[in-house]
Amino acid sequence: MHNKVLIIGSGPAGLTAALYAARANLEPLVVRGLQPGGLIATTSEVENYPGFVDGVGGYELAENMEKQAARFGAQSMDTLITGIDASQRPFVLSTDSGETLTADTIIVSTGASPRKLGVPGEDRLANRGVSYCATCDGFFFKKKRVVVVGGGNSALDEGLFLTRYVDELIIVHRRDELRADPILQERAFSNEKMRFIWDSTVDEVLGDEKVSGVKLRNLKTGETSELAVEGVFPYIGHLPNSKVFAGLLTLDENGYIVADARQRTNIEGIFAAGDVVDHVYRQAITAAGEGCKAAMEATWYLSEQEHATKKAQSETEEVSSPALGQW
Ligand SMILES: Cc1cc2nc3c(=O)[nH]c(=O)nc-3n(C[C@H](O)[C@H](O)[C@H](O)COP(=O)(O)OP(=O)(O)OC[C@H]3O[C@@H](n4cnc5c(N)ncnc54)[C@H](O)[C@@H]3O)c2cc1C
């Protein structure tokens, strides 16, 4: 299957790119991956996406973005991209379903996933008390006691948000000071519902059907203890979904794809947008903005290629059929 524009990822970045490419009559293909709609589709309420006075459900927002792009001719496909061969044009992409796709341009918008603790009980109790989304799940922890693991901006930001619901929130951090911005620290330290357990890690999430506690280890003394909680929110960073592009696209030291202000990567014809590039803002609106830029760049790139091909063809024709007077 050949496409002029192939978009990898169906979050706000990919779907906005699809809308712009579709309106440029390029009939883009969106490869949706394992999370159709992207991270925003897992969020219950989005209150900071412009245009929605009363907020909008995350799933509804993603679904509308996809329908809007489809209205102008964007197609979608449910598979995972497993590799890109950029040694030839068009690009050749392999998928986990065994199909081979080709494309003249590619927009990579594969996002970034929350980093896991990697401890026993975490996967088993996911969505049964373990949550990576305070915004989505905070409501379900009304009047409960929860831990947030981490000491950066997201840990405090999401922790402060959770205090709207919970009775007590304990931040478990592996160091004896926080990395978060001073303003967030100030708010956290003055919040009556928050307390801190320093120099400690969560070694295990406990519970049968749902979370009943965590096993803690003090990194200085080695001492272990159990803490009864009903929720665990790990906020220990994000992992960009860029593994599949390593060796082809330039990545920074944390694995984010390096793209310039015009979303161009080190490979001509491949653009990157959204959270797989952006480790600073990580918002639906910024991802959408980058998706828009990437699609406009891809459109201009294709026009330039077309123009260059036509010019080369007419020059060849001129050489092979000289003007009459030259005979
Ligand atoms: C809990 C939580 C709450 C949030 N709340 C808000 C909010 O209120 N407001 C806000 O603006 N932002 C919010 N965000 C952030 C927002 O969701 C992200 O910034 C945004 O979704 C990033 O969009 P993206 O398109 O770059 O990537 P993502 O949304 O992460 O989408 C990535 C896409 O790539 C696909 N993919 C990955 N690898 C492959 C592959 N190999 N092949 C094919 N497809 C692949 C996935 O299936 C997915 O469709 C929240 C995030 C979280 C986690």
Side-chain angles (χ1 to χ4, degrees):
M1 190 193 284
H2 179 77
N3 286 88
K4 285 185 178 167
V5 181
L6 188 143
I7 298 162
I8 312 176
S10 57
L15 294 176
T16 307
L19 172 64
Y20 275 74
R23 290 194 77 249
N25 278 335
L26 294 170
E27 296 172 346
L29 175 70
V30 180
V31 178
R32 303 204 307 171
L34 295 178
Q35 196 162 55
L39 275 185
I40 202 73
T42 67
T43 310
S44 55
E45 191 72 12
V46 181
E47 294 185 329
N48 51 12
Y49 199 87
F52 298 92
V53 180
D54 301 316
V56 59
Y59 183 83
E60 187 188 347
L61 178 62
E63 197 182 36
N64 282 347
M65 284 184 184
E66 185 165 354
K67 282 184 184 161
Q68 193 178 358
R71 183 158 81 87
F72 296 101
Q75 306 275 329
S76 63
M77 183 177 185
D78 282 332
T79 189
L80 266 181
I81 297 297
T82 50
I84 300 176
D85 180 355
S87 66
Q88 49 184 315
R89 294 294 186 278
F91 297 108
V92 179
L93 298 97
S94 44
T95 66
D96 74 339
S97 48
E99 270 160 293
T100 301
L101 308 170
T102 58
D104 297 326
T105 57
I106 297 174
I107 296 173
V108 179
S109 50
T110 45
S113 307
R115 199 187 284 268
K116 290 189 174 183
L117 299 171
V119 300
E122 183 182 20
D123 283 343
R124 186 172 51 81
L125 295 165
N127 298 322
R128 295 171 180 193
V130 176
S131 167
Y132 305 89
C133 176
T135 321
C136 322
D137 298 336
F139 187 81
F140 303 114
F141 293 84
K142 262 186 177 170
K143 300 201 176 302
K144 294 187 174 167
R145 187 195 213 197
V146 303
V147 290
V148 167
V149 188
N153 282 342
S154 344
L156 289 204
D157 215 6
E158 301 294 331
L160 284 162
F161 175 82
L162 279 173
T163 59
R164 296 184 195 189
Y165 304 103
V166 302
D167 269 355
E168 188 181 5
L169 185 137
I170 301 141
I171 301 264
V172 176
H173 186 39
R174 54 188 304 120
R175 299 184 216 291
D176 58 6
E177 57 180 6
L178 301 167
R179 278 179 293 109
D181 293 342
I183 179 91
L184 282 176
Q185 296 199 28
E186 229 171 77
R187 284 184 205 161
F189 290 136
S190 63
N191 190 305
E192 295 175 340
K193 288 186 179 174
M194 270 190 173
R195 73 177 171 96
F196 295 80
I197 296 183
W198 303 107
D199 301 311
S200 299
T201 54
V202 168
D203 269 7
E204 188 175 347
V205 181
L206 307 168
D208 295 327
E209 291 301 308
K210 51 188 185 165
V211 169
S212 62
V214 285
K215 190 188 263 182
L216 299 174
R217 182 161 50 94
N218 185 300
L219 294 170
K220 285 197 171 150
T221 62
E223 205 177 295
T224 58
S225 59
E226 285 187 11
L227 178 71
V229 291
E230 289 171 271
V232 181
F233 289 80
Y235 276 104
I236 52 171
H238 281 76
L239 281 178
N241 300 317
S242 60
K243 231 185 200 169
V244 92
F245 314 109
L248 174 67
L249 301 182
T250 306
L251 308 180
D252 72 9
E253 67 279 11
N254 296 314
Y256 287 87
I257 296 175
V258 176
D260 67 9
R262 295 172 59 181
Q263 312 307 136
R264 295 177 298 192
T265 67
N266 57 307
I267 305 278
E268 205 176 293
I270 303 187
F271 304 86
D275 286 9
V276 72
V277 174
D278 167 25
H279 50 89
V280 179
Y281 303 105
R282 284 202 296 252
Q283 290 297 295
I285 185 68
T286 47
E290 289 191 359
C292 155
K293 284 163 68 185
M296 291 177 76
E297 288 292 342
T299 308
W300 294 330
Y301 170 80
L302 287 170
S303 301
E304 276 165 26
Q305 295 290 306
E306 206 176 309
H307 181 70
T309 310
K310 276 189 186 150
K311 200 172 161 208
Q313 268 170 358
S314 69
E315 277 169 4
T316 317
E317 278 163 17
E318 266 173 38
V319 171
S320 58
S321 51
L324 258 184
Q326 287 179 287
W327 287 102

